Amino acid sequence: SSGINAEYGADKRKLLGDIERCHKKVVEGVDSFKEIWNKLHQAKNQGAANQREKYEQDLKKEIKKLQRLRDQIKSWCQSNEVKDKRALIDDRKLIEAQMESF
């Protein structure tokens, strides 16, 4: 039976590692989104249409990445394996705030 517990512990550590990596990607993705968002507005103010289109495409890519992360977060939130869901919920809300601004 100790083998089962060790395996469970390894699974739990892997899950926590996955969640931590996801959190880092959310933070990086949101930072990147905000940076591109600011560049887009600068380009709009300067009337640079070609730059604006590029930034709009970049924003769409970032939103898609964030949406995939949000889907993963939602599945973890529904899972019984994750006991403390506060950080996951905060990350999900952060992603959704960016999606609303888009």
Side-chain angles (χ1 to χ4, degrees):
S1 75
S2 65
I4 292 171
N5 287 339
E7 190 175 307
Y8 175 76
D11 287 348
K12 190 78 170 165
R13 278 192 302 279
K14 181 187 180 309
L15 176 65
L16 292 174
D18 289 347
I19 290 171
E20 184 59 34
R21 277 188 294 284
C22 181
H23 173 70
K24 284 181 183 169
K25 287 181 184 176
V26 168
V27 170
E28 290 167 5
V30 167
D31 286 347
S32 180
F33 180 90
K34 287 179 178 177
E35 190 177 310
I36 296 165
W37 182 260
N38 290 334
K39 288 179 183 176
L40 173 63
H41 282 282
Q42 287 172 351
K44 278 183 180 176
N45 293 340
Q46 295 165 357
N50 58 342
Q51 284 293 90
R52 207 169 62 216
E53 286 176 23
K54 178 198 178 302
Y55 293 137
E56 285 171 351
Q57 290 305 313
D58 291 348
L59 272 181
K60 285 179 186 170
K61 285 182 200 167
E62 281 305 321
I63 279 290
K64 283 188 174 141
K65 286 182 198 173
L66 289 171
Q67 284 172 329
R68 282 194 297 272
L69 292 170
R70 183 183 69 156
D71 290 344
Q72 176 61 66
I73 289 168
K74 280 182 170 180
S75 73
W76 282 328
C77 283
Q78 292 167 351
S79 161
N80 292 330
E81 292 177 62
V82 181
K83 299 296 178 222
D84 185 358
K85 297 175 170 62
R86 285 175 299 197
L88 290 172
I89 291 167
D90 289 346
D91 281 350
R92 192 195 77 221
K93 287 178 181 174
L94 188 60
I95 290 170
E96 288 169 353
Q98 306 318 303
M99 291 166 65
E100 286 169 15
S101 69
F102 188 66

